[in-house]
Amino acid sequence: MRYILRDFSEQLKNQSFLFTNCDVAKGNFLPHILEEEASTVFNTCDNPARKNIITCKDIHLSKFLAEVGGLSFDLKLSSTFEDLPFYIPVFGRELTGLSDLSNEFPVIATSLVNILDGITLKAGAFHEKSKITFRRSISRQSFGNKKVILFNTGPDTLIESVWHKRDKFKLFDEISKLGFYAIGGLNFSLINGECSLSHVLNQKRSLYSCYLFEQRGSLVIPHTYSLTISHVKRWVNWLRANPNINYVTINCQLQTSHSDMTQLIQTTKYLLYYTPHVHIILQGFQFSYIKHFGHLVDRLHFADMSPFKKAQSHQRLKFNLKDNKLEIIHDAKESLTNLININFSERYLYLKQLRNLSKTDPEFDLTQKPIKVYNFKTKRGVLYKREA
């Protein structure tokens, strides 16, 4: 079966100056970016201070494009993985309790901020010192018998800072030496309403970071977050051209509203439909939305830090099978190591039940219905219809 996108005519009517002012709308970046992709722009592309993003108007744009080999998604990657478990515990900075973690969790994960020194958290935000170094305590030996995935996710300031200083402190060389089983692409942000050139450039930067890690001998997992149908179709085309890539990852930690989750679910389902060889690791996905994937959940893997954070707050998780709920119990007596182990095991049982329900309950199986991909400009869904 295949899915057809209805035409863009309704989206392209009555566009504002912000749309026509974007150089993407003028066809300046064809064939890599379609003119219609500028239909999502509702913030000005004039950004001389380079706040948050690099736009089509940047006077040094050619330099930024050159450092990632241009906008073409023509990079070839060779990483291929054996089957990964559907649940991947995510640990914090100290890897507390890792050595005692149950053998039912052979694969775990951590994130970029946890392997760096020179990063501090103040007033709810990360701040980078002038010198950022890699923690000497992180090594292959510190992982024990676990396979550890590094997610290169974090606040925009952190990602942009390490990218800007990548040559200064040999980012790709040093991380590749740390013994991670696999390394995710750098998670550059895609911001709703901003210049559509910035979206594609940041996706290419993420893909290029995978290329640089792989050149140093690391297994990589591309990060494929998308905001629009054009974005997800670009990843579909790339994955079809790289059929050996059987795992990608999406950072879901900032998607909190219902509309955010709707967009995330819909683009994830679209990616799964069009690339049947691909599995997706969802980092920080809200479990209450798992029901919307139906049998597609078999190709989803959930990387989850919630049990670790709960343990740090002296909270113990207990899965109630009868009510299909995960209860939270205050427990100040249990050791942190034991709480971490208990919490991951209970969260695993909860997820296992949700996956089973998603596949067996007809109410949860949405795969026979049209797919909508949310459009943040019109606040409406764009329909895909099934054809035999």
Side-chain angles (χ1 to χ4, degrees), residues 14 18 21-22 54 63 108 140 149 157 160 209 241 254 258 261 284 294 307 309 315 317-318 324 328 335 344 376:
N14 302 318
L18 296 176
N21 189 45
C22 180
I54 299 164
K63 174 184 176 181
I108 69 159
R140 190 184 304 272
I149 296 172
T157 54
E160 292 291 348
S209 73
L254 298 180
H258 182 69
M261 293 304 297
K309 291 182 176 180
Q315 294 177 327
L317 299 180
K318 174 66 177 176
N324 194 32
I328 301 176
S335 70
F344 277 126
F376 284 88

Side-chain angles (χ1 to χ4, degrees), residues 90-269:
V90 179
F91 277 72
R93 185 172 177 81
E94 300 305 326
L95 298 178
T96 304
L98 175 58
S99 59
D100 299 315
L101 190 65
S102 169
N103 290 331
E104 68 182 338
F105 304 119
V107 179
I108 69 159
T110 191
S111 57
L112 180 62
V113 69
N114 296 320
I115 68 168
L116 298 174
D117 282 327
I119 307 292
T120 57
L121 179 63
K122 294 181 180 178
F126 286 101
H127 300 267
E128 296 82 35
K129 296 181 180 178
S130 58
K131 184 178 181 180
I132 299 175
T133 58
F134 294 90
R135 294 177 57 209
R136 295 184 179 276
S137 59
I138 296 293
S139 67
R140 190 184 304 272
Q141 289 69 37
S142 64
F143 300 149
N145 63 344
K146 304 295 184 183
K147 294 179 178 179
V148 184
I149 296 172
L150 175 67
F151 292 119
N152 277 303
T153 56
D156 292 345
T157 54
L158 173 64
I159 299 300
E160 292 291 348
S161 179
V162 297
W163 175 257
H164 178 67
K165 300 174 183 177
R166 62 191 183 279
D167 294 327
K168 181 179 180 180
F169 63 96
K170 299 179 180 179
L171 173 73
F172 298 97
D173 292 304
E174 294 301 320
I175 289 181
S176 295
K177 292 176 183 177
L178 295 178
F180 290 104
Y181 173 63
I183 299 174
L186 285 169
N187 176 202
F188 293 97
S189 287
L190 307 184
I191 304 174
N192 289 318
E194 297 290 1
C195 177
S196 45
L197 176 281
S198 72
H199 294 160
V200 181
L201 175 57
N202 276 356
Q203 288 178 316
K204 181 60 183 291
R205 291 163 97 190
S206 182
L207 183 60
Y208 194 74
S209 73
C210 287
Y211 171 78
L212 294 176
F213 279 124
E214 196 173 83
Q215 290 296 299
R216 288 154 176 80
S218 297
L219 286 173
V220 297
I221 307 175
H223 183 270
T224 60
Y225 184 68
S226 301
L227 284 179
T228 71
I229 185 58
S230 297
H231 295 164
V232 74
K233 289 171 81 172
R234 188 172 284 111
W235 283 117
V236 165
N237 291 336
W238 182 82
L239 287 165
R240 286 177 169 177
N242 291 265
N244 55 290
I245 300 296
N246 58 341
Y247 279 87
V248 299
T249 182
I250 300 176
N251 180 20
C252 313
Q253 296 177 95
L254 298 180
Q255 284 65 53
T256 55
S257 70
H258 182 69
S259 62
D260 286 345
M261 293 304 297
T262 298
Q263 177 267 324
L264 174 63
I265 291 166
Q266 291 162 350
T267 54
T268 300
K269 290 174 71 173

Side-chain angles (χ1 to χ4, degrees), residues 312-376:
Q312 289 181 314
S313 300
H314 305 288
Q315 294 177 327
R316 177 162 55 89
L317 299 180
K318 174 66 177 176
F319 175 50
N320 185 330
L321 178 60
K322 181 179 179 181
D323 298 326
N324 194 32
K325 291 183 179 180
L326 199 61
E327 300 171 353
I328 301 176
I329 304 168
H330 182 74
D331 191 338
K333 296 181 178 180
E334 194 69 71
S335 70
L336 178 60
T337 296
N338 286 343
L339 276 180
I340 290 171
N341 279 273
I342 292 169
N343 286 358
F344 277 126
S345 293
E346 295 297 305
R347 184 80 161 165
Y348 167 81
L349 293 175
Y350 178 53
L351 174 59
K352 186 176 181 180
Q353 177 71 356
L354 291 178
R355 291 176 78 250
N356 290 336
L357 289 174
S358 178
K359 291 183 289 185
T360 60
D361 190 332
E363 180 183 349
F364 289 175
D365 188 355
L366 304 183
T367 58
Q368 299 305 311
K369 298 179 180 180
I371 298 176
K372 290 184 179 181
V373 177
Y374 193 74
N375 181 283
F376 284 88

